[in-house]
Amino acid sequence: MAIARMNNIIKRYEKQRVLDHVDLEIREGEILGLLGPNGAGKTTLIHALSGLINIDSGHIELFGKPQEGTMLDTKRKIGLVTQDITIFEDLTARENLAFFGGIYGLKGTDLKLKIQETLEFVGLADQAHRRPGKFSGGMKRRLNIACSIIHRPKLLIMDEPTVGIDPQSRNHILESVRELQRQGTTILYTTHYMEEIQSLASRVVILDQGHVIAQGTLDELVTNIQHEEKIKLEVVELTDVLVANIQALPGVKQVILKGSLLEIISQARSGNLDRILSLAKQAGGVISIQAEKPTLEDVFLTLTGKQLRDKEDS
């Protein structure tokens, strides 16, 4: 069952189409990973889905109803974790949650209970009376998430929730995302960290230049674009004859020499792994051989021609 649908969405800024006939479905209970290079339109899509901006044309449906700007009941079922941290640094952590909980209609005993439960969930219960101006970046990110889930949203939209934080805080956030899904929350998750999508997402959507260019499970995406495989071979004695024999195999595209290691790029499903192993044994013996499966990063690079994030951010 779909908890949200976007059909034929167009959004322009001046004359540029930032979203160009976008179709997207978010299924109840899943973590949907949204990937795209800088400028692909991810944040615009998120803002359109959450009702922060108007679209030029198309149709958005949330919880089985058309999205309308005045539907407060619908908006109260959504949580948005913004890329920029949106908390009040002159209020304590508890006061921040009280403010955002009040916006979502919580009050009285229910609000107090939700504040305590949420602080415990994000690991900030012992920081309840501190102002976040003195928090680490990771603690601010966790409080930012807390403010978005205090009302227990059915749909949680997370825009780059782990940018610029330490590994411990990142791991805490990722485990929190998994637990939210276990509790029944549907999550749209966008990030520049490919490994996060690989470990979290039930399905993946790749957006580029305002278009959805691919979507499916990780296995489906890899299968659909898998044109080649990488084989790494270390042998007892590396000879020019062995290299030439491997290069001559049908489907072998490239043989790269890295010290005593051969890296062989071969057409996918060519059956060359067994042939290469046989040639290496005849040439004197094999120390190790490994066939690498394509990764989500390979899929992304093949489809967009771009890295997901700059190397210096890796």
Side-chain angles (χ1 to χ4, degrees):
M1 174 180 149
I3 203 168
R5 284 193 178 96
M6 304 180 80
N7 297 114
N8 208 27
I9 301 301
I10 295 176
K11 175 62 183 177
R12 297 182 184 89
Y13 286 117
E14 297 180 350
K15 295 182 179 180
Q16 181 183 2
R17 284 189 182 183
V18 181
L19 298 178
D20 192 356
H21 298 282
V22 167
D23 292 324
L24 180 73
E25 179 180 276
I26 305 174
R27 300 168 188 169
E28 187 172 8
E30 74 175 348
I31 300 176
L32 180 63
L34 178 62
L35 292 175
N38 289 332
K42 301 187 300 297
T43 298
T44 300
L45 185 153
I46 284 171
H47 288 173
L49 182 62
S50 56
L52 294 178
I53 59 173
N54 295 321
I55 57 175
D56 294 309
S57 64
H59 177 74
I60 298 176
E61 186 179 282
L62 293 165
F63 313 108
K65 299 178 181 179
Q67 183 201 61
E68 296 177 7
T70 57
M71 293 183 69
L72 290 178
D73 287 344
T74 297
K75 289 186 174 182
R76 283 174 175 168
K77 295 177 183 177
I78 299 173
L80 175 61
V81 180
T82 54
Q83 182 174 347
D84 296 324
I85 295 175
T86 49
I87 55 177
F88 298 100
E89 296 204 354
D90 54 345
L91 300 179
T92 66
R94 183 179 295 278
E95 289 167 344
N96 267 279
L97 288 178
F99 174 81
F100 284 100
I103 289 177
Y104 286 112
L106 300 175
K107 54 188 175 182
T109 303
D110 188 30
L111 175 59
K112 290 181 181 179
L113 180 62
K114 290 290 197 305
I115 289 172
Q116 187 59 33
E117 288 177 349
T118 306
L119 285 170
E120 290 175 0
F121 182 79
V122 298
L124 292 176
D126 59 344
Q127 307 293 326
H129 299 292
R130 290 186 62 197
R131 291 183 174 85
K134 297 182 179 180
F135 284 3
S136 67
M139 292 167 67
K140 289 180 181 180
R141 286 281 172 192
R142 282 187 274 155
L143 180 58
N144 199 44
I145 292 171
C147 292
S148 301
I149 64 172
I150 186 170
H151 60 302
R152 305 299 182 265
K154 290 187 176 181
L155 173 62
L156 180 62
I157 302 170
M158 309 187 80
D159 189 7
E160 303 279 357
T162 62
V163 170
I165 62 174
D166 60 277
Q168 183 178 0
S169 292
R170 173 173 285 117
N171 290 337
H172 191 287
I173 288 173
L174 297 183
E175 187 51 47
S176 297
V177 172
R178 295 185 187 98
E179 180 58 32
L180 286 167
Q181 184 198 28
R182 285 192 285 267
Q183 293 178 7
T185 303
T186 303
I187 299 166
L188 176 63
Y189 191 99
T190 181
T191 181
H192 274 82
Y193 297 99
M194 192 74 72
E195 61 275 13
E196 293 183 4
I197 294 293
Q198 290 185 150
S199 69
L200 290 174
S202 319
R203 287 192 304 126
V204 179
V205 170
I206 298 177
L207 192 70
D208 192 26
Q209 297 181 344
H211 300 274
V212 173
I213 60 172
Q215 58 183 308
T217 66
L218 177 57
D219 286 343
E220 288 169 346
L221 290 174
V222 167
T223 298
N224 289 339
I225 66 92
Q226 185 180 355
H227 303 304
E228 58 187 37
E229 60 186 358
K230 184 186 294 182
I231 300 169
K232 292 183 177 180
L233 173 69
E234 189 175 7
V235 293
V236 174
E237 185 177 358
L238 185 58
T239 66
D240 293 338
V241 172
L242 174 61
V243 173
N245 286 339
I246 292 174
Q247 184 72 68
L249 289 172
V252 169
K253 299 179 179 181
Q254 190 177 17
V255 179
I256 304 166
L257 180 60
K258 296 184 175 180
S260 62
L261 190 70
L262 285 177
E263 193 170 278
I264 303 144
I265 309 299
S266 177
Q267 183 178 329
R269 297 179 290 276
S270 63
N272 277 333
L273 180 61
D274 287 341
R275 298 186 187 105
I276 291 168
L277 183 60
S278 178
L279 287 172
K281 286 180 177 178
Q282 293 173 18
V286 177
I287 296 174
S288 66
I289 188 167
Q290 177 184 2
E292 291 189 356
K293 293 181 179 180
T295 65
L296 184 56
E297 185 119 28
D298 297 325
V299 173
F300 187 86
L301 188 59
T302 297
L303 292 174
T304 68
K306 306 179 185 80
Q307 297 286 343
L308 184 57
R309 65 183 188 271
D310 295 334
K311 289 295 183 183
E312 57 267 26
D313 294 333
S314 301

